[in-house]
PDB file of all heavy atoms in Angstrom:
ATOM      1  N   PHE A  54      65.509 -32.804  -8.224  1.00 96.00           N
ATOM      2  CA  PHE A  54      64.219 -32.409  -7.663  1.00 96.00           C
ATOM      3  C   PHE A  54      63.938 -30.929  -7.932  1.00 96.00           C
ATOM      4  O   PHE A  54      62.828 -30.557  -8.332  1.00 96.00           O
ATOM      5  CB  PHE A  54      64.202 -32.689  -6.160  1.00 96.00           C
ATOM      6  CG  PHE A  54      62.882 -32.393  -5.498  1.00 96.00           C
ATOM      7  CD1 PHE A  54      61.786 -33.209  -5.714  1.00 96.00           C
ATOM      8  CD2 PHE A  54      62.741 -31.300  -4.657  1.00 96.00           C
ATOM      9  CE1 PHE A  54      60.565 -32.936  -5.104  1.00 96.00           C
ATOM     10  CE2 PHE A  54      61.535 -31.014  -4.042  1.00 96.00           C
ATOM     11  CZ  PHE A  54      60.440 -31.845  -4.266  1.00 96.00           C
ATOM     12  N   HIS A  55      64.953 -30.080  -7.745  1.00 95.00           N
ATOM     13  CA  HIS A  55      64.782 -28.642  -7.979  1.00 95.00           C
ATOM     14  C   HIS A  55      64.376 -28.366  -9.429  1.00 95.00           C
ATOM     15  O   HIS A  55      63.471 -27.560  -9.693  1.00 95.00           O
ATOM     16  CB  HIS A  55      66.086 -27.894  -7.675  1.00 95.00           C
ATOM     17  CG  HIS A  55      66.642 -28.147  -6.321  1.00 95.00           C
ATOM     18  ND1 HIS A  55      67.260 -29.337  -5.976  1.00 95.00           N
ATOM     19  CD2 HIS A  55      66.696 -27.363  -5.214  1.00 95.00           C
ATOM     20  CE1 HIS A  55      67.656 -29.265  -4.717  1.00 95.00           C
ATOM     21  NE2 HIS A  55      67.335 -28.087  -4.237  1.00 95.00           N
ATOM     22  N   LEU A  56      65.070 -29.034 -10.360  1.00 94.00           N
ATOM     23  CA  LEU A  56      64.787 -28.811 -11.774  1.00 94.00           C
ATOM     24  C   LEU A  56      63.371 -29.233 -12.127  1.00 94.00           C
ATOM     25  O   LEU A  56      62.650 -28.524 -12.841  1.00 94.00           O
ATOM     26  CB  LEU A  56      65.786 -29.576 -12.640  1.00 94.00           C
ATOM     27  CG  LEU A  56      65.578 -29.416 -14.158  1.00 94.00           C
ATOM     28  CD1 LEU A  56      65.958 -28.009 -14.606  1.00 94.00           C
ATOM     29  CD2 LEU A  56      66.363 -30.460 -14.931  1.00 94.00           C
ATOM     30  N   GLN A  57      62.955 -30.393 -11.623  1.00 95.00           N
ATOM     31  CA  GLN A  57      61.621 -30.887 -11.960  1.00 95.00           C
ATOM     32  C   GLN A  57      60.530 -29.979 -11.397  1.00 95.00           C
ATOM     33  O   GLN A  57      59.512 -29.743 -12.055  1.00 95.00           O
ATOM     34  CB  GLN A  57      61.445 -32.316 -11.453  1.00 95.00           C
ATOM     35  CG  GLN A  57      62.287 -33.346 -12.196  1.00 95.00           C
ATOM     36  CD  GLN A  57      62.017 -33.337 -13.695  1.00 95.00           C
ATOM     37  OE1 GLN A  57      62.911 -33.140 -14.509  1.00 95.00           O
ATOM     38  NE2 GLN A  57      60.772 -33.550 -14.076  1.00 95.00           N
ATOM     39  N   ILE A  58      60.725 -29.448 -10.214  1.00 96.00           N
ATOM     40  CA  ILE A  58      59.752 -28.516  -9.645  1.00 96.00           C
ATOM     41  C   ILE A  58      59.688 -27.238 -10.477  1.00 96.00           C
ATOM     42  O   ILE A  58      58.606 -26.701 -10.762  1.00 96.00           O
ATOM     43  CB  ILE A  58      60.105 -28.183  -8.175  1.00 96.00           C
ATOM     44  CG1 ILE A  58      59.912 -29.424  -7.282  1.00 96.00           C
ATOM     45  CG2 ILE A  58      59.269 -27.004  -7.668  1.00 96.00           C
ATOM     46  CD1 ILE A  58      58.479 -29.913  -7.189  1.00 96.00           C
ATOM     47  N   PHE A  59      60.860 -26.734 -10.892  1.00 94.00           N
ATOM     48  CA  PHE A  59      60.881 -25.538 -11.731  1.00 94.00           C
ATOM     49  C   PHE A  59      60.119 -25.771 -13.030  1.00 94.00           C
ATOM     50  O   PHE A  59      59.286 -24.951 -13.440  1.00 94.00           O
ATOM     51  CB  PHE A  59      62.318 -25.120 -12.038  1.00 94.00           C
ATOM     52  CG  PHE A  59      62.396 -23.972 -13.008  1.00 94.00           C
ATOM     53  CD1 PHE A  59      62.261 -22.665 -12.573  1.00 94.00           C
ATOM     54  CD2 PHE A  59      62.584 -24.204 -14.371  1.00 94.00           C
ATOM     55  CE1 PHE A  59      62.302 -21.602 -13.468  1.00 94.00           C
ATOM     56  CE2 PHE A  59      62.623 -23.156 -15.270  1.00 94.00           C
ATOM     57  CZ  PHE A  59      62.484 -21.842 -14.821  1.00 94.00           C
ATOM     58  N   PHE A  60      60.389 -26.878 -13.712  1.00 93.00           N
ATOM     59  CA  PHE A  60      59.731 -27.163 -14.980  1.00 93.00           C
ATOM     60  C   PHE A  60      58.224 -27.326 -14.799  1.00 93.00           C
ATOM     61  O   PHE A  60      57.433 -26.902 -15.648  1.00 93.00           O
ATOM     62  CB  PHE A  60      60.315 -28.429 -15.621  1.00 93.00           C
ATOM     63  CG  PHE A  60      61.484 -28.161 -16.526  1.00 93.00           C
ATOM     64  CD1 PHE A  60      62.620 -28.953 -16.461  1.00 93.00           C
ATOM     65  CD2 PHE A  60      61.457 -27.135 -17.453  1.00 93.00           C
ATOM     66  CE1 PHE A  60      63.702 -28.728 -17.304  1.00 93.00           C
ATOM     67  CE2 PHE A  60      62.536 -26.898 -18.304  1.00 93.00           C
ATOM     68  CZ  PHE A  60      63.659 -27.700 -18.230  1.00 93.00           C
ATOM     69  N   LEU A  61      57.813 -27.949 -13.717  1.00 95.00           N
ATOM     70  CA  LEU A  61      56.384 -28.153 -13.481  1.00 95.00           C
ATOM     71  C   LEU A  61      55.664 -26.811 -13.369  1.00 95.00           C
ATOM     72  O   LEU A  61      54.610 -26.603 -13.980  1.00 95.00           O
ATOM     73  CB  LEU A  61      56.187 -28.990 -12.213  1.00 95.00           C
ATOM     74  CG  LEU A  61      54.741 -29.361 -11.865  1.00 95.00           C
ATOM     75  CD1 LEU A  61      54.101 -30.179 -12.979  1.00 95.00           C
ATOM     76  CD2 LEU A  61      54.709 -30.145 -10.549  1.00 95.00           C
ATOM     77  N   GLY A  62      56.227 -25.891 -12.590  1.00 94.00           N
ATOM     78  CA  GLY A  62      55.622 -24.570 -12.473  1.00 94.00           C
ATOM     79  C   GLY A  62      55.663 -23.788 -13.771  1.00 94.00           C
ATOM     80  O   GLY A  62      54.684 -23.127 -14.154  1.00 94.00           O
ATOM     81  N   HIS A  63      56.796 -23.878 -14.466  1.00 93.00           N
ATOM     82  CA  HIS A  63      56.953 -23.177 -15.745  1.00 93.00           C
ATOM     83  C   HIS A  63      55.921 -23.654 -16.760  1.00 93.00           C
ATOM     84  O   HIS A  63      55.263 -22.853 -17.431  1.00 93.00           O
ATOM     85  CB  HIS A  63      58.369 -23.423 -16.263  1.00 93.00           C
ATOM     86  CG  HIS A  63      58.599 -23.020 -17.684  1.00 93.00           C
ATOM     87  ND1 HIS A  63      58.681 -21.699 -18.095  1.00 93.00           N
ATOM     88  CD2 HIS A  63      58.763 -23.765 -18.813  1.00 93.00           C
ATOM     89  CE1 HIS A  63      58.881 -21.655 -19.404  1.00 93.00           C
ATOM     90  NE2 HIS A  63      58.942 -22.886 -19.852  1.00 93.00           N
ATOM     91  N   ARG A  64      55.731 -24.964 -16.855  1.00 94.00           N
ATOM     92  CA  ARG A  64      54.808 -25.487 -17.850  1.00 94.00           C
ATOM     93  C   ARG A  64      53.352 -25.227 -17.463  1.00 94.00           C
ATOM     94  O   ARG A  64      52.502 -24.967 -18.329  1.00 94.00           O
ATOM     95  CB  ARG A  64      55.074 -26.971 -18.089  1.00 94.00           C
ATOM     96  CG  ARG A  64      55.949 -27.168 -19.320  1.00 94.00           C
ATOM     97  CD  ARG A  64      56.119 -28.623 -19.656  1.00 94.00           C
ATOM     98  NE  ARG A  64      57.317 -29.161 -19.073  1.00 94.00           N
ATOM     99  CZ  ARG A  64      58.542 -28.951 -19.554  1.00 94.00           C
ATOM    100  NH1 ARG A  64      58.729 -28.181 -20.602  1.00 94.00           N
ATOM    101  NH2 ARG A  64      59.597 -29.504 -18.976  1.00 94.00           N
ATOM    102  N   ALA A  65      53.036 -25.292 -16.175  1.00 94.00           N
ATOM    103  CA  ALA A  65      51.671 -24.969 -15.744  1.00 94.00           C
ATOM    104  C   ALA A  65      51.329 -23.527 -16.108  1.00 94.00           C
ATOM    105  O   ALA A  65      50.218 -23.242 -16.580  1.00 94.00           O
ATOM    106  CB  ALA A  65      51.533 -25.205 -14.245  1.00 94.00           C
ATOM    107  N   ASP A  66      52.277 -22.612 -15.919  1.00 94.00           N
ATOM    108  CA  ASP A  66      52.078 -21.215 -16.326  1.00 94.00           C
ATOM    109  C   ASP A  66      51.785 -21.120 -17.821  1.00 94.00           C
ATOM    110  O   ASP A  66      50.910 -20.362 -18.258  1.00 94.00           O
ATOM    111  CB  ASP A  66      53.328 -20.386 -16.006  1.00 94.00           C
ATOM    112  CG  ASP A  66      53.387 -19.935 -14.555  1.00 94.00           C
ATOM    113  OD1 ASP A  66      52.343 -19.985 -13.869  1.00 94.00           O
ATOM    114  OD2 ASP A  66      54.482 -19.538 -14.111  1.00 94.00           O
ATOM    115  N   GLN A  67      52.537 -21.882 -18.625  1.00 94.00           N
ATOM    116  CA  GLN A  67      52.335 -21.849 -20.072  1.00 94.00           C
ATOM    117  C   GLN A  67      50.942 -22.341 -20.455  1.00 94.00           C
ATOM    118  O   GLN A  67      50.275 -21.751 -21.305  1.00 94.00           O
ATOM    119  CB  GLN A  67      53.380 -22.714 -20.770  1.00 94.00           C
ATOM    120  CG  GLN A  67      54.744 -22.080 -20.896  1.00 94.00           C
ATOM    121  CD  GLN A  67      55.650 -22.897 -21.795  1.00 94.00           C
ATOM    122  OE1 GLN A  67      55.513 -24.121 -21.892  1.00 94.00           O
ATOM    123  NE2 GLN A  67      56.576 -22.235 -22.446  1.00 94.00           N
ATOM    124  N   TYR A  68      50.502 -23.439 -19.841  1.00 93.00           N
ATOM    125  CA  TYR A  68      49.179 -23.977 -20.157  1.00 93.00           C
ATOM    126  C   TYR A  68      48.095 -22.948 -19.836  1.00 93.00           C
ATOM    127  O   TYR A  68      47.138 -22.767 -20.601  1.00 93.00           O
ATOM    128  CB  TYR A  68      48.926 -25.259 -19.365  1.00 93.00           C
ATOM    129  CG  TYR A  68      49.426 -26.514 -20.035  1.00 93.00           C
ATOM    130  CD1 TYR A  68      50.781 -26.721 -20.240  1.00 93.00           C
ATOM    131  CD2 TYR A  68      48.549 -27.505 -20.461  1.00 93.00           C
ATOM    132  CE1 TYR A  68      51.261 -27.872 -20.838  1.00 93.00           C
ATOM    133  CE2 TYR A  68      49.009 -28.669 -21.063  1.00 93.00           C
ATOM    134  CZ  TYR A  68      50.377 -28.841 -21.250  1.00 93.00           C
ATOM    135  OH  TYR A  68      50.834 -29.987 -21.855  1.00 93.00           O
ATOM    136  N   MET A  69      48.231 -22.273 -18.691  1.00 93.00           N
ATOM    137  CA  MET A  69      47.236 -21.287 -18.298  1.00 93.00           C
ATOM    138  C   MET A  69      47.256 -20.074 -19.226  1.00 93.00           C
ATOM    139  O   MET A  69      46.210 -19.535 -19.600  1.00 93.00           O
ATOM    140  CB  MET A  69      47.470 -20.854 -16.849  1.00 93.00           C
ATOM    141  CG  MET A  69      47.318 -21.976 -15.836  1.00 93.00           C
ATOM    142  SD  MET A  69      45.726 -22.847 -16.016  1.00 93.00           S
ATOM    143  CE  MET A  69      45.872 -24.069 -14.712  1.00 93.00           C
ATOM    144  N   GLU A  70      48.459 -19.630 -19.620  1.00 94.00           N
ATOM    145  CA  GLU A  70      48.560 -18.506 -20.542  1.00 94.00           C
ATOM    146  C   GLU A  70      47.990 -18.870 -21.902  1.00 94.00           C
ATOM    147  O   GLU A  70      47.300 -18.063 -22.541  1.00 94.00           O
ATOM    148  CB  GLU A  70      50.014 -18.063 -20.682  1.00 94.00           C
ATOM    149  CG  GLU A  70      50.178 -16.770 -21.467  1.00 94.00           C
ATOM    150  CD  GLU A  70      51.588 -16.225 -21.452  1.00 94.00           C
ATOM    151  OE1 GLU A  70      52.439 -16.759 -20.704  1.00 94.00           O
ATOM    152  OE2 GLU A  70      51.844 -15.251 -22.195  1.00 94.00           O
ATOM    153  N   ALA A  71      48.254 -20.087 -22.354  1.00 94.00           N
ATOM    154  CA  ALA A  71      47.702 -20.551 -23.627  1.00 94.00           C
ATOM    155  C   ALA A  71      46.175 -20.589 -23.574  1.00 94.00           C
ATOM    156  O   ALA A  71      45.499 -20.250 -24.549  1.00 94.00           O
ATOM    157  CB  ALA A  71      48.258 -21.930 -23.961  1.00 94.00           C
ATOM    158  N   ALA A  72      45.621 -20.986 -22.429  1.00 92.00           N
ATOM    159  CA  ALA A  72      44.167 -21.055 -22.276  1.00 92.00           C
ATOM    160  C   ALA A  72      43.542 -19.657 -22.310  1.00 92.00           C
ATOM    161  O   ALA A  72      42.423 -19.477 -22.818  1.00 92.00           O
ATOM    162  CB  ALA A  72      43.814 -21.757 -20.971  1.00 92.00           C
ATOM    163  N   ARG A  73      44.254 -18.659 -21.785  1.00 94.00           N
ATOM    164  CA  ARG A  73      43.732 -17.291 -21.764  1.00 94.00           C
ATOM    165  C   ARG A  73      43.815 -16.611 -23.124  1.00 94.00           C
ATOM    166  O   ARG A  73      43.010 -15.731 -23.434  1.00 94.00           O
ATOM    167  CB  ARG A  73      44.497 -16.447 -20.732  1.00 94.00           C
ATOM    168  CG  ARG A  73      44.207 -16.825 -19.281  1.00 94.00           C
ATOM    169  CD  ARG A  73      44.808 -15.805 -18.325  1.00 94.00           C
ATOM    170  NE  ARG A  73      46.267 -15.723 -18.399  1.00 94.00           N
ATOM    171  CZ  ARG A  73      47.092 -16.420 -17.627  1.00 94.00           C
ATOM    172  NH1 ARG A  73      46.603 -17.282 -16.749  1.00 94.00           N
ATOM    173  NH2 ARG A  73      48.401 -16.275 -17.748  1.00 94.00           N
ATOM    174  N   ASP A  74      44.797 -16.982 -23.937  1.00 95.00           N
ATOM    175  CA  ASP A  74      44.979 -16.339 -25.235  1.00 95.00           C
ATOM    176  C   ASP A  74      43.873 -16.792 -26.199  1.00 95.00           C
ATOM    177  O   ASP A  74      43.536 -17.970 -26.244  1.00 95.00           O
ATOM    178  CB  ASP A  74      46.357 -16.704 -25.811  1.00 95.00           C
ATOM    179  CG  ASP A  74      46.758 -15.793 -26.941  1.00 95.00           C
ATOM    180  OD1 ASP A  74      46.222 -15.945 -28.061  1.00 95.00           O
ATOM    181  OD2 ASP A  74      47.606 -14.911 -26.717  1.00 95.00           O
ATOM    182  N   PRO A  75      43.299 -15.867 -26.965  1.00 95.00           N
ATOM    183  CA  PRO A  75      42.206 -16.260 -27.867  1.00 95.00           C
ATOM    184  C   PRO A  75      42.655 -17.112 -29.059  1.00 95.00           C
ATOM    185  O   PRO A  75      41.827 -17.758 -29.706  1.00 95.00           O
ATOM    186  CB  PRO A  75      41.656 -14.901 -28.348  1.00 95.00           C
ATOM    187  CG  PRO A  75      42.796 -13.941 -28.191  1.00 95.00           C
ATOM    188  CD  PRO A  75      43.545 -14.410 -26.975  1.00 95.00           C
ATOM    189  N   ARG A  76      43.949 -17.131 -29.340  1.00 96.00           N
ATOM    190  CA  ARG A  76      44.444 -17.905 -30.478  1.00 96.00           C
ATOM    191  C   ARG A  76      44.635 -19.377 -30.111  1.00 96.00           C
ATOM    192  O   ARG A  76      44.732 -19.730 -28.935  1.00 96.00           O
ATOM    193  CB  ARG A  76      45.793 -17.350 -30.942  1.00 96.00           C
ATOM    194  CG  ARG A  76      45.754 -15.933 -31.480  1.00 96.00           C
ATOM    195  CD  ARG A  76      47.161 -15.371 -31.648  1.00 96.00           C
ATOM    196  NE  ARG A  76      47.817 -15.162 -30.359  1.00 96.00           N
ATOM    197  CZ  ARG A  76      49.077 -14.787 -30.205  1.00 96.00           C
ATOM    198  NH1 ARG A  76      49.841 -14.604 -31.276  1.00 96.00           N
ATOM    199  NH2 ARG A  76      49.584 -14.601 -29.003  1.00 96.00           N
ATOM    200  N   SER A  77      44.706 -20.220 -31.114  1.00 97.00           N
ATOM    201  CA  SER A  77      45.184 -21.575 -30.889  1.00 97.00           C
ATOM    202  C   SER A  77      46.632 -21.499 -30.410  1.00 97.00           C
ATOM    203  O   SER A  77      47.324 -20.500 -30.643  1.00 97.00           O
ATOM    204  CB  SER A  77      45.103 -22.407 -32.166  1.00 97.00           C
ATOM    205  OG  SER A  77      43.761 -22.703 -32.492  1.00 97.00           O
ATOM    206  N   ALA A  78      47.087 -22.552 -29.730  1.00 97.00           N
ATOM    207  CA  ALA A  78      48.418 -22.522 -29.129  1.00 97.00           C
ATOM    208  C   ALA A  78      49.149 -23.823 -29.394  1.00 97.00           C
ATOM    209  O   ALA A  78      48.538 -24.891 -29.531  1.00 97.00           O
ATOM    210  CB  ALA A  78      48.312 -22.288 -27.623  1.00 97.00           C
ATOM    211  N   ILE A  79      50.478 -23.717 -29.467  1.00 97.00           N
ATOM    212  CA  ILE A  79      51.332 -24.898 -29.585  1.00 97.00           C
ATOM    213  C   ILE A  79      52.491 -24.742 -28.609  1.00 97.00           C
ATOM    214  O   ILE A  79      53.125 -23.686 -28.537  1.00 97.00           O
ATOM    215  CB  ILE A  79      51.824 -25.110 -31.039  1.00 97.00           C
ATOM    216  CG1 ILE A  79      52.659 -26.393 -31.140  1.00 97.00           C
ATOM    217  CG2 ILE A  79      52.560 -23.905 -31.592  1.00 97.00           C
ATOM    218  CD1 ILE A  79      52.897 -26.863 -32.571  1.00 97.00           C
ATOM    219  N   LEU A  80      52.755 -25.791 -27.831  1.00 97.00           N
ATOM    220  CA  LEU A  80      53.800 -25.783 -26.813  1.00 97.00           C
ATOM    221  C   LEU A  80      54.858 -26.805 -27.168  1.00 97.00           C
ATOM    222  O   LEU A  80      54.543 -27.917 -27.606  1.00 97.00           O
ATOM    223  CB  LEU A  80      53.209 -26.129 -25.434  1.00 97.00           C
ATOM    224  CG  LEU A  80      51.996 -25.319 -24.982  1.00 97.00           C
ATOM    225  CD1 LEU A  80      51.521 -25.804 -23.616  1.00 97.00           C
ATOM    226  CD2 LEU A  80      52.321 -23.838 -24.936  1.00 97.00           C
ATOM    227  N   ASP A  81      56.138 -26.447 -26.949  1.00 94.00           N
ATOM    228  CA  ASP A  81      57.223 -27.310 -27.440  1.00 94.00           C
ATOM    229  C   ASP A  81      57.634 -28.413 -26.473  1.00 94.00           C
ATOM    230  O   ASP A  81      58.644 -29.083 -26.701  1.00 94.00           O
ATOM    231  CB  ASP A  81      58.433 -26.476 -27.891  1.00 94.00           C
ATOM    232  CG  ASP A  81      59.354 -26.067 -26.755  1.00 94.00           C
ATOM    233  OD1 ASP A  81      58.920 -26.044 -25.600  1.00 94.00           O
ATOM    234  OD2 ASP A  81      60.525 -25.767 -27.044  1.00 94.00           O
ATOM    235  N   ARG A  82      56.903 -28.637 -25.409  1.00 93.00           N
ATOM    236  CA  ARG A  82      56.975 -29.875 -24.640  1.00 93.00           C
ATOM    237  C   ARG A  82      55.716 -29.956 -23.807  1.00 93.00           C
ATOM    238  O   ARG A  82      55.207 -28.945 -23.343  1.00 93.00           O
ATOM    239  CB  ARG A  82      58.221 -29.964 -23.753  1.00 93.00           C
ATOM    240  CG  ARG A  82      58.373 -31.380 -23.169  1.00 93.00           C
ATOM    241  CD  ARG A  82      59.555 -31.523 -22.238  1.00 93.00           C
ATOM    242  NE  ARG A  82      60.852 -31.524 -22.889  1.00 93.00           N
ATOM    243  CZ  ARG A  82      61.346 -32.514 -23.631  1.00 93.00           C
ATOM    244  NH1 ARG A  82      60.604 -33.577 -23.885  1.00 93.00           N
ATOM    245  NH2 ARG A  82      62.563 -32.438 -24.128  1.00 93.00           N
ATOM    246  N   SER A  83      55.225 -31.180 -23.596  1.00 95.00           N
ATOM    247  CA  SER A  83      54.022 -31.350 -22.788  1.00 95.00           C
ATOM    248  C   SER A  83      54.378 -31.436 -21.306  1.00 95.00           C
ATOM    249  O   SER A  83      55.483 -31.842 -20.933  1.00 95.00           O
ATOM    250  CB  SER A  83      53.277 -32.628 -23.203  1.00 95.00           C
ATOM    251  OG  SER A  83      53.947 -33.769 -22.700  1.00 95.00           O
ATOM    252  N   ILE A  84      53.426 -31.070 -20.466  1.00 96.00           N
ATOM    253  CA  ILE A  84      53.622 -31.165 -19.028  1.00 96.00           C
ATOM    254  C   ILE A  84      53.711 -32.622 -18.573  1.00 96.00           C
ATOM    255  O   ILE A  84      54.339 -32.931 -17.565  1.00 96.00           O
ATOM    256  CB  ILE A  84      52.480 -30.425 -18.282  1.00 96.00           C
ATOM    257  CG1 ILE A  84      52.889 -30.104 -16.841  1.00 96.00           C
ATOM    258  CG2 ILE A  84      51.166 -31.198 -18.366  1.00 96.00           C
ATOM    259  CD1 ILE A  84      51.926 -29.153 -16.136  1.00 96.00           C
TER     260      ILE A  84
END
Side-chain angles (χ1 to χ4, degrees):
F54 183 72
H55 306 74
L56 180 71
Q57 291 303 122
I58 292 296
F59 174 83
F60 270 135
L61 183 60
H63 168 72
R64 263 185 266 283
D66 278 344
Q67 282 189 331
Y68 273 65
M69 297 307 180
E70 188 172 352
R73 290 190 297 267
D74 196 284
R76 296 168 292 174
S77 289
I79 183 166
L80 308 179
D81 83 338
R82 190 182 287 288
S83 76
I84 199 169

